[in-house]
Amino acid sequence: MSNVNVLPLLEPAEAVAPCCPPLTERPMSAEEAETAAKMFKALGDPVRLRLFSAVASHEGGEACVCDISDVGVSQPTVSHHLKKLKEAGLLTSERRGTWVYYRVERSVLAAMGKLLAPTAATA
C-alpha cells in the first residue's frame, strides 16, 4: 500500500480576471472602481511607469532589479516604487540569490487593456 497523497490542480493565474468589464459595457461597481483606481494610481507616477515599462519590455518578460534601477532615483526609492507596483497587482517578483526578478502580471495587463477598449457596439 502506498502513502501517496494526490493534491488538487490549481487553475493558472491567467484564468483569473482581476479587474473589471470594459467601461462602455456597464457602470462599474464600487469594488471594481476601487481595484481599477489602485492600478491606474500606481501607474500615475512617472518613475513607476518607467519601471513598469522597463520590466514589460525587458527580454524574456522579466527583469532583475539590477537591470532596471537606472531611472534617476536612489535604489531605496526604486524599491519603494516596485513595492507599490506589486501592491497594485501589476508586478510579481521572485528572489534568486541576492537579486529580485520582476515580471509583469499578464492577466492584469490584459484586464486593463480590456477595461479601456471600446466594445464592438461602441466602436
Side-chain angles (χ1 to χ4, degrees):
M1 181 166 198
S2 174
N3 287 337
V4 175
N5 290 329
V6 177
L7 299 175
L9 294 176
L10 298 176
E11 292 297 317
E14 261 122 59
V16 178
C19 186
C20 333
L23 291 174
T24 56
E25 185 177 299
R26 62 170 171 77
M28 287 180 152
S29 70
E31 183 179 319
E32 291 168 336
E34 190 72 34
T35 301
K38 186 177 178 183
M39 290 187 297
F40 287 114
K41 183 177 180 181
L43 291 174
D45 181 281
V47 172
R48 288 186 203 144
L49 189 54
R50 287 184 66 201
L51 288 167
F52 186 74
S53 174
V55 173
S57 64
H58 203 269
E59 185 179 331
E62 71 176 5
C64 173
V65 70
C66 60
D67 293 329
I68 58 171
S69 300
D70 190 20
V71 291
V73 295
S74 67
Q75 199 288 318
T77 303
V78 167
S79 294
H80 166 76
H81 286 301
L82 289 169
K83 178 182 174 187
K84 291 296 183 181
L85 290 167
K86 278 186 62 178
E87 288 173 352
L90 298 170
L91 295 178
T92 59
S93 67
E94 177 184 348
R95 179 170 290 282
R96 297 181 198 155
T98 58
W99 297 109
V100 177
Y101 288 79
Y102 290 89
R103 179 178 294 278
V104 169
E105 185 57 59
R106 297 284 179 201
S107 63
V108 172
L109 196 57
M112 289 176 71
K114 287 180 184 177
L115 174 69
L116 297 175
T119 58
T122 60

